[in-house]
Amino acid sequence: MYLSPFRHGPHGGGYLPPSAHGGEYVPAEYYKENFSTYIPLVSAKREIRVLSLLPGGADTRISCQLSVKSLDLRPQFEALSYVWGDINQENTHILVNGQKFRVRLNLYHALRHIRSSSITRAIWVDFICINQDDKTERNSQVGLMKDIYFSTQKALIWLGELKRSSILPFGDDIYPPGYQPETIIWSGTQNDKLAVEKCLQNYSIFSRMPLGFEASAGQDYLLCALSFVHFLAQGQYLSDIPFFRDHSYRSLVLSELQSLMESHWWSRIWVVQETVLAPVASLIYGPIQISWHMFGTTTKNYENHQLSYCANALAKLPENDKEILSDFSRRVLIIELIRLSWIRGQPITLLNLLWKFRERAETDPKDKVFALLGLVRSWDGCKPFLADYNFSIFQVFRQVTLDTILGTQSLDVLMGTPEVKGMNLPSWIQDWSVPFTPYTIERLSRAHLYNASRGRAPLLCIHGTEELVLGISAGKVGEVGCVGDTMTNSNVAHASVILHSWEKLAHYCTHGRPFPMLGPYVGGGSIVDAFLRTICLDTVYNGNNAVSRHRKYKNSQNYQELHRITREMYQRAPEHYPEDTHSMQSEMITAIDQAVLSATMHRSYFTLYDGLMGLGPSSTEVGDEAFVLFGGSMPFILRQADRRPTPNDQSYYYTIIGECYIHGMMDGEAMKDPVYKTNEAMITLV
């Protein structure tokens, strides 16, 4: 049997995890010149320290006082969400209880902007409020982080100093000593009226400037970027925003939005919990404060409109502008949707969180799991995990895999094919330290639509002295006989070439000779019908609800329309799309484009020797084998391992290459067809 890394308390006497804000473990020597008058905390009373940030002007030293509070008494305080930064980062001193306390510059700048000139602010800042020299306290306080952020009045999200906008009177430099910038607050409501009017005035001046003299107009593009966000939060469509049709101005505005999203805060794993749990959150970017609610509302509106009212406008955008909008929407919305689920009391599973936030960075790979535990509301029959940093990465990742399989009675945890390999783990143990691409996350969001194993529960057998081998029941579907090129680029020209090459493979490899695409497919229907369903995973993006997918276009009449639009979509430039912004055809083009893009990116088309076709990992090779594993929503591509059966061990050993889509095998066909049932056996994954 294996030992669980989740059974021995919050952190089992180990070190503090690499900061809830992206830092790393810091040795005690780093703090040797800091003050040493921490009052011990009583864990049973859920005590924390709260930092009183004393008022001061721009040229006065930051001074604070620490006091002990019990969360049971509901103290009033705000909590700072920020990135610690590299230990080698330049640092400076502040005063805490009258003594010098060394902090890194990112925290120093955050405190400087948060500090009021007239009143004291009560703030929880982990770097200062936790005694970093006391391991027992660190572990106990990290165990309370969920309660701390749930109890705070507001999360203050520090994105960093403002550098690029012309709002600064000092060019590209950060604020010089003694300069106190004016605070600008964005709420996403009518309270933003003055700032929005200033933006429109700026654009009016810009639009009247002679060609080549626009730079002299003194534009504040960040002001317009936030006005753009405001317009979307108010429900306006892209085509209705005054400067959106101006290509050069729009690109400059979106570049400022991109700059804001380049903050390291957006890439860290621990800040997810801090934003979701706080009742209110505010983004702070230099002197600018932005309501998280404005960002969240903006991205929800954008996602809802992109397949309808804004479809035509988006189709005509340059790729770079579309990528900026998509990245902005994705980074905000992925947190906002979890935040809404938490507020509504909806079930949130660990696997869903691991999938959604797998691209987030960490210093200790174990934090890919531990940083999300506080958000889990549904354990799917598993015993709730408690983080223990004494266990190895291998033990943590193995435990997540096994407990999730046993609790959910599903193999969904095995899905998700990373583009690169990380640690040397068995193929059946997910390496959560390797990030997913957004396309992988999109594909996994559709997994619940399939039932390849027809509800058959997984049958597991864990063996081997080091528990590296997993036995599992499976049914073999067939062997890969033909593999196409990988879709590596979302560019329309590249996608068109790859899709046409796949279509030729469907033409030739399915029958081994030229054959009409309208001919019969071995899994039912025509070859062209099967091919078109395959390249979108038999799904279409649903514009009415941007976070769900529905399987549509099941009849041949609709698929003829799908076939026509798909061909046109990859044979003409976006500027030739229908002019009517609200046209059904424009909506369908965008919906199909989204479905095909997320289904095919970094995937390869393949056919099995018996004529079945599918999409699988880019590393799929001729000779690989397709299996339906009991408990799997989707089939898997496996590859025979070097280990071969011995007289005493007749098992067949395989490594997992990744999940795949096989048209005609997604609804349990292999589990009820007598031909495939004869191929059922216990296989061993290594």
Side-chain angles (χ1 to χ4, degrees), residues 60 183 226 236 311 336 359 438 476 513 586:
T60 60
T183 298
L226 294 174
Q236 292 196 33
E336 175 66 8
E359 66 175 331
K476 182 176 177 179
R513 58 185 177 81
S586 181

Side-chain angles (χ1 to χ4, degrees), residues 584-648:
M584 290 298 294
Q585 184 171 344
S586 181
E587 290 184 34
M588 187 174 288
I589 287 174
T590 307
I592 294 172
D593 181 45
Q594 179 77 12
V596 172
L597 179 64
S598 59
T600 58
M601 275 299 293
H602 309 299
R603 307 294 274 181
S604 293
Y605 173 87
F606 66 85
T607 61
L608 305 181
Y609 279 117
D610 64 359
L612 291 171
M613 67 174 70
L615 286 177
S618 59
S619 55
T620 302
E621 298 177 356
V622 173
D624 289 343
E625 299 173 39
F627 280 85
V628 171
L629 306 182
F630 289 12
S633 299
M634 302 180 72
F636 286 83
I637 297 294
L638 307 183
R639 184 172 299 156
Q640 288 200 17
D642 292 336
R643 293 176 63 174
R644 299 298 178 185
T646 65
N648 297 324

Side-chain angles (χ1 to χ4, degrees), residues 325-634:
L325 285 173
S326 176
D327 181 70
F328 166 72
S329 177
R330 179 178 56 82
R331 288 180 182 272
V332 174
L333 190 63
I334 197 171
I335 298 177
E336 175 66 8
L337 293 178
I338 294 296
R339 196 174 149 82
L340 291 176
S341 294
W342 180 269
I343 292 171
R344 295 165 181 166
Q346 296 171 339
I348 302 174
T349 67
L350 178 59
L351 180 58
N352 184 256
L353 292 169
L354 289 169
W355 279 353
K356 286 182 180 296
F357 299 107
R358 185 162 173 170
E359 66 175 331
R360 294 252 166 175
E362 83 301 312
T363 304
D364 184 341
K366 288 174 281 190
D367 281 334
K368 278 295 190 76
V369 177
F370 294 166
L372 300 173
L373 297 181
L375 296 176
V376 178
R377 271 231 173 92
S378 173
W379 288 99
D380 287 329
C382 305
K383 184 176 181 180
F385 298 166
L386 294 176
D388 189 339
Y389 284 85
N390 288 317
F391 283 85
S392 67
I393 297 170
F394 166 75
Q395 288 174 309
V396 172
F397 288 179
R398 179 190 60 191
Q399 189 64 33
V400 170
T401 301
L402 292 175
D403 278 16
T404 303
I405 292 174
L406 295 174
T408 63
Q409 289 295 287
S410 164
L411 297 184
D412 286 355
V413 71
L414 302 184
M415 297 195 301
T417 310
E419 299 306 311
V420 295
K421 296 296 182 183
M423 294 172 288
N424 187 27
L425 297 175
S427 66
W428 59 272
I429 296 178
Q430 276 284 5
D431 183 355
W432 298 108
S433 68
V434 179
F436 278 162
T437 67
Y439 302 109
T440 302
I441 298 173
E442 282 280 338
R443 284 193 293 270
L444 293 178
S445 71
R446 293 179 250 188
H448 69 282
L449 299 172
Y450 310 114
N451 187 17
S453 61
R454 209 184 182 195
R456 296 281 289 273
L459 300 176
L460 305 182
C461 178
I462 307 167
H463 51 87
T465 57
E466 298 179 357
E467 297 166 356
L468 301 176
V469 176
L470 180 69
I472 194 163
S473 292
K476 182 176 177 179
V477 177
E479 187 174 332
V480 176
C482 185
V483 181
D485 293 333
T486 300
M487 183 77 76
T488 58
N489 195 310
S490 60
N491 177 271
V492 173
H494 171 82
S496 177
V497 171
I498 296 297
L499 287 176
H500 285 309
S501 70
W502 289 357
E503 191 175 28
K504 289 181 180 179
L505 286 179
H507 188 168
Y508 284 91
C509 292
T510 303
H511 295 278
R513 58 185 177 81
F515 199 87
M517 285 290 284
L518 293 177
Y521 174 65
V522 65
S526 68
I527 295 175
V528 66
D529 179 87
F531 179 76
L532 291 172
R533 291 181 187 231
T534 296
I535 63 173
C536 62
L537 304 186
D538 197 14
T539 63
V540 65
Y541 201 85
N542 176 23
N544 296 324
N545 184 349
V547 297
S548 68
R549 304 292 182 272
H550 299 283
R551 301 174 77 177
K552 298 180 179 178
Y553 306 110
K554 283 289 189 178
N555 61 72
S556 59
Q557 181 178 358
N558 280 345
Y559 258 89
Q560 289 175 1
E561 179 71 2
L562 172 63
H563 186 200
R564 181 182 65 80
I565 290 178
T566 304
R567 286 185 175 280
E568 291 183 4
M569 182 171 63
Y570 288 105
Q571 288 178 351
R572 64 180 176 183
E575 57 265 24
H576 296 141
Y577 284 174
E579 285 298 328
D580 181 6
T581 304
H582 306 279
S583 73
M584 290 298 294
Q585 184 171 344
S586 181
E587 290 184 34
M588 187 174 288
I589 287 174
T590 307
I592 294 172
D593 181 45
Q594 179 77 12
V596 172
L597 179 64
S598 59
T600 58
M601 275 299 293
H602 309 299
R603 307 294 274 181
S604 293
Y605 173 87
F606 66 85
T607 61
L608 305 181
Y609 279 117
D610 64 359
L612 291 171
M613 67 174 70
L615 286 177
S618 59
S619 55
T620 302
E621 298 177 356
V622 173
D624 289 343
E625 299 173 39
F627 280 85
V628 171
L629 306 182
F630 289 12
S633 299
M634 302 180 72

